[in-house]
Amino acid sequence: MQTLAHFGDGGPGPWILLLPLVWALLVGVGAALLRRTVRHGRRGPGRPAEEADSPVAVLGRRFASGGIDEDEYWRRLSVLDERFGGGRGGAV
């Protein structure tokens, strides 16, 4: 062990063998975080793409942003419920 990177002369010694393991660990953690971020994308965790782009969700976003008033929101929601069977059960 004395000859490993000049251990006796003030070199790093046997700890130099752990350096590749540290780099492998850092690359693995970075890849896992990148993969998780790309998988979730803009939808966020637990929000399926079908729900995010449904007509009812689009209508709700327009109402929340002030693009339509409350009367128009309820009128259009009742039409969507009739067409797509939203199953709101008398929420009008």
Side-chain angles (χ1 to χ4, degrees), residues 33-65:
L33 288 174
L34 183 63
R35 184 176 174 187
R36 181 177 176 161
T37 302
V38 169
R39 184 184 315 146
H40 289 300
R42 290 186 176 183
R43 292 181 290 132
R47 188 170 162 201
E50 305 89 45
E51 288 182 15
D53 295 331
S54 71
V56 175
V58 171
L59 182 64
R61 283 195 298 270
R62 286 187 62 198
F63 176 63
S65 68

Side-chain angles (χ1 to χ4, degrees), residues 71-85:
D71 293 331
E72 186 174 353
Y73 170 77
W74 287 114
R75 190 176 68 245
R76 290 182 182 214
L77 185 62
S78 66
V79 170
L80 288 174
D81 281 345
E82 289 174 8
R83 279 198 190 152
F84 297 108

Side-chain angles (χ1 to χ4, degrees), residues 4 9 12 29 56 59 64-65 68:
L4 183 63
D9 296 333
V29 167
V56 175
L59 182 64
S65 68
I68 57 175

